Amino acid sequence: MKDWSALATELYDGGFHPMLINGEWREAQSGKTIEARNPANGSLLATVPKGESADIDAAVAAARKAFEGPWSKFTPFERQALLLRIADKFEAEWETLCLSDTLDMGMPIQRTLANSRRVLGMLRFYAGQAVTIHGSTIPNSFPGEIYSSTVREPVGVVGAIIPWNAPIAGSIWKIAPAIATGCTVVLKPSEEASLTVLMIARIMQEAGLPDGVLNVVTGLGSEAGAALAEHQGVDKIVFTGSTATGQAIARAATGNLKKVSLELGGKSPVIVCKDADIEKAVPVAAMAVFANSGQICIAGSRLFVAREIHDEFVQRVATFAANLKIGQGIDADTDIGPIISARQAERIAGFLAAGPNEGAEVLTGGCIAEGDHLQGGHFIQPTVFGGVTDEMSVAREEIFGPVISALPFDTIDEVVTRANATPYGLAAGVFSTHLGTAHKLAHRLKAGSVWVNMYHAIDPAVPFGGVKMSGYGREGGTEHMEEYLDTKAIWINTD
Ligand code: NAD
């Protein structure tokens, strides 16, 4: 088995990692820095610049210059070739990228490594999309006199803001369609997990990405993030993060009416019907929440189970949870890694207390996880609450931690109403061996994605996103390209 800890020390030794603006690796103009600490043990990995509005100004100017300069002359085939080169370099450095992610944000290494098909697939999917952009010739009311057509143009400078829970996939999903369409990017990673994004920028630069096409400004959301969201020189904001921040960004974007797409939070239902294949459904329903320690926007955290099988099913999920191994992300057999920060762990601990206080029963977990091998980190036991009712805070609020709330139901109509009774609409899961029931539920659930007899599948070619307060816009699929393109109508008097 590979010894990741030796490689970890070589990768990050507490030194300074600059950010990328206009092809140059820079400090913040203020000279200030932020610490990047390993959430699994508290050790200092590195420091990064604490970019502020002056740095955002410089990055937006660089992105504008590149957009109007040499980058605008790149043909679709040249942009495609560039994305394919980037994909090859990613493949060659995949293990280092995954190790960086595991150290910086805690995701177990087995999970980061397993994401390669998705991330490399994204780069190659958008490489394919780059050469498919086209307009239309449209017959009008003046045949023979006026010729009308459309062309598709890149929207311009894109401001991208991402959270900490999936830095590799999160940043590639913002950058790759920009390269495919000919946009330029200013990317603000989360202050909790910037190191892998800087590594990604380095790989792209080495693959030949021209100066200014991708700029990465590290810094706080309230400073660098807010400055980017309200910047008059930015044409579009693509954001992934919490619903509250998404609302602030939508408000900030009104200054120059920049376009906005938002991938936000969720409180997704998983519905287990009485005819479900219990054996197969238990581990999937459990990992629908416990993967990445519950720090997943699509977490299926409301587990609705048909009353006939409720007690048995929920008990089996609890037993599965109790057997998950909690540990450092770089240990190859870890199932549950750390929570990103002390602040986030405290927030989750608040829900662990609120559940029983409001009448829920702890079937497993319910506490902060402790042990010699967890010293200095932020770990939470995978938790299953039984006896939950729809009004309890654990059934209503996004916890973003390893917590399942189990709720019994009696009829399909009832569960549809209850599952949809949330401000969110990101994802949903259905377990049933009856084709008709599965179809009915898939159509009636209000969510951007519904998985049947499975969970979590995300593919570069399939659109992903939310409805209601889980946001608007889609990532993945041809829909994603539309987010980065404008349509221009051209009229020619041929008379
Ligand atoms: P967050 O909203 O606190 O932060 C996300 C990003 O926004 C960070 O880079 C942060 O620095 C920045 N930010 C914060 N305040 C800002 C402001 N006022 N203006 C501009 N930028 C600002 O979210 P988080 O805690 O990092 O991530 C967890 C949240 O993200 C959860 O709600 C989760 O559901 C959501 N999420 C959604 C998806 C999805 O695809 N739908 C994916 C992952 C995470």
Side-chain angles (χ1 to χ4, degrees):
M1 203 178 281
K2 198 157 193 148
D3 180 7
W4 294 101
S5 45
L7 295 171
T9 327
E10 280 170 33
L11 193 58
Y12 293 120
D13 60 3
F16 176 69
H17 285 242
M19 60 190 179
L20 182 67
I21 296 177
N22 202 23
E24 294 160 12
W25 292 95
R26 298 189 189 172
E27 296 180 11
Q29 293 187 27
S30 68
K32 293 181 199 161
T33 58
I34 311 176
E35 290 183 341
R37 288 191 177 271
N38 183 339
N41 57 26
S43 65
L44 181 69
L45 296 167
T47 59
V48 299
K50 184 165 173 280
E52 294 169 344
S53 64
D55 303 290
I56 290 289
D57 287 345
V60 172
R64 177 64 58 194
K65 195 170 120 214
F67 180 69
E68 287 169 3
W71 182 236
S72 63
K73 307 281 185 301
F74 268 60
T75 66
F77 287 102
E78 287 169 326
R79 297 199 304 272
Q80 179 184 54
L82 179 57
L83 278 164
L84 292 173
R85 278 202 305 280
I86 292 171
D88 289 346
K89 278 189 80 61
F90 257 64
E91 197 158 14
E93 299 205 36
W94 184 246
E95 285 196 357
T96 316
L97 279 161
C98 292
L99 178 60
S100 172
D101 228 17
T102 292
L103 294 172
D104 200 19
M105 58 75 60
M107 191 186 288
I109 190 86
Q110 48 160 308
R111 187 175 157 88
T112 46
L113 288 170
N115 271 339
S116 69
R117 191 171 62 168
R118 178 174 159 211
V119 173
L120 300 174
M122 280 179 189
L123 287 161
R124 290 175 178 140
F125 173 79
Y126 292 106
Q129 291 294 307
V131 294
T132 64
I133 301 165
H134 63 275
S136 318
T137 303
I138 303 168
N140 58 39
S141 314
F142 312 96
E145 294 169 34
I146 297 177
Y147 173 87
S148 49
S149 64
T150 57
V151 288
R152 310 305 311 282
E153 297 182 337
V155 295
V157 174
V158 173
I161 303 175
I162 59 169
W164 42 264
N165 65 332
I168 302 181
S171 48
I172 295 304
W173 238 358
K174 308 291 188 230
I175 302 167
I179 297 176
T181 51
C183 294
T184 57
V185 181
V186 177
L187 173 60
K188 210 294 284 172
S190 167
E191 51 273 50
E192 308 281 7
S194 304
L195 293 177
T196 313
V197 180
L198 293 172
M199 190 180 281
I200 286 170
R202 196 253 306 150
I203 292 173
M204 291 195 174
Q205 191 184 39
E206 287 172 5
L209 193 66
D211 294 350
V213 175
L214 170 64
N215 307 272
V216 177
V217 178
T218 51
L220 304 184
S222 55
E223 296 173 356
L228 185 57
E230 68 186 19
H231 205 289
Q232 300 284 319
V234 172
D235 301 299
K236 159 132 188 150
I237 289 283
V238 287
F239 172 75
T240 299
S242 64
T243 296
T245 307
Q247 290 173 308
I249 283 172
R251 283 192 292 272
T254 57
N256 66 337
L257 291 180
K258 57 175 76 68
K259 293 165 194 294
V260 178
S261 40
L262 303 170
E263 301 284 349
L264 307 177
K267 189 73 188 171
S268 300
V270 166
I271 299 173
V272 184
C273 301
K274 62 184 176 204
D275 55 19
D277 180 333
I278 295 183
E279 202 68 44
K280 288 188 182 148
V282 165
V284 182
M287 293 315 285
V289 173
F290 299 138
N292 205 19
S293 306
Q295 303 169 109
I296 36 176
C297 52
I298 51 179
S301 51
R302 288 184 296 150
L303 179 60
F304 290 99
V305 185
R307 197 174 298 279
E308 293 89 331
I309 59 166
H310 175 273
D311 291 354
E312 182 200 345
F313 189 87
V314 174
Q315 193 48 57
R316 285 174 71 164
V317 171
T319 305
F320 182 93
N323 287 323
L324 291 171
K325 182 167 183 290
I326 305 174
Q328 305 260 332
I330 56 170
D331 293 339
D333 58 349
T334 288
D335 300 307
I336 301 280
I339 301 298
I340 187 73
S341 62
R343 190 171 62 93
Q344 186 66 11
E346 275 161 31
R347 186 174 172 277
I348 299 167
F351 285 104
L352 297 183
N357 283 345
E358 294 174 28
E361 183 190 352
V362 180
L363 299 179
T364 188
C367 297
I368 286 172
E370 288 165 334
D372 288 346
H373 66 303
L374 307 180
Q375 289 292 325
H378 322 293
F379 294 88
I380 302 275
Q381 294 175 342
T383 297
V384 179
F385 284 131
V388 178
T389 58
D390 295 351
E391 302 71 37
M392 291 181 188
S393 58
V394 291
R396 286 185 291 104
E397 294 185 37
E398 183 181 43
I399 299 176
F400 222 59
V403 183
I404 289 178
S405 295
L407 306 115
F409 72 89
D410 292 300
T411 69
I412 294 294
D413 282 346
E414 170 213 329
V415 78
V416 167
T417 305
R418 290 170 62 199
N420 287 338
T422 167
Y424 297 111
L426 190 57
V430 173
F431 289 90
S432 171
T433 52
H434 189 272
L435 191 61
T437 307
H439 259 293
K440 253 185 226 154
L441 281 168
H443 286 280
R444 291 178 68 189
L445 291 168
K446 299 259 177 287
S449 300
V450 181
W451 292 287
V452 178
N453 294 328
M454 61 184 297
Y455 207 77
H456 275 313
I458 295 184
D459 188 276
V462 182
F464 172 82
V467 297
K468 301 199 283 182
M469 289 186 78
S470 292
Y472 42 78
R474 288 293 178 269
E475 295 190 323
T478 49
E479 284 87 343
H480 199 176
M481 295 288 286
E482 300 296 316
E483 304 280 342
Y484 286 72
L485 291 167
D486 280 331
T487 300
K488 178 191 279 175
I490 298 181
W491 298 81
I492 298 178
N493 185 347
T494 54
D495 195 9

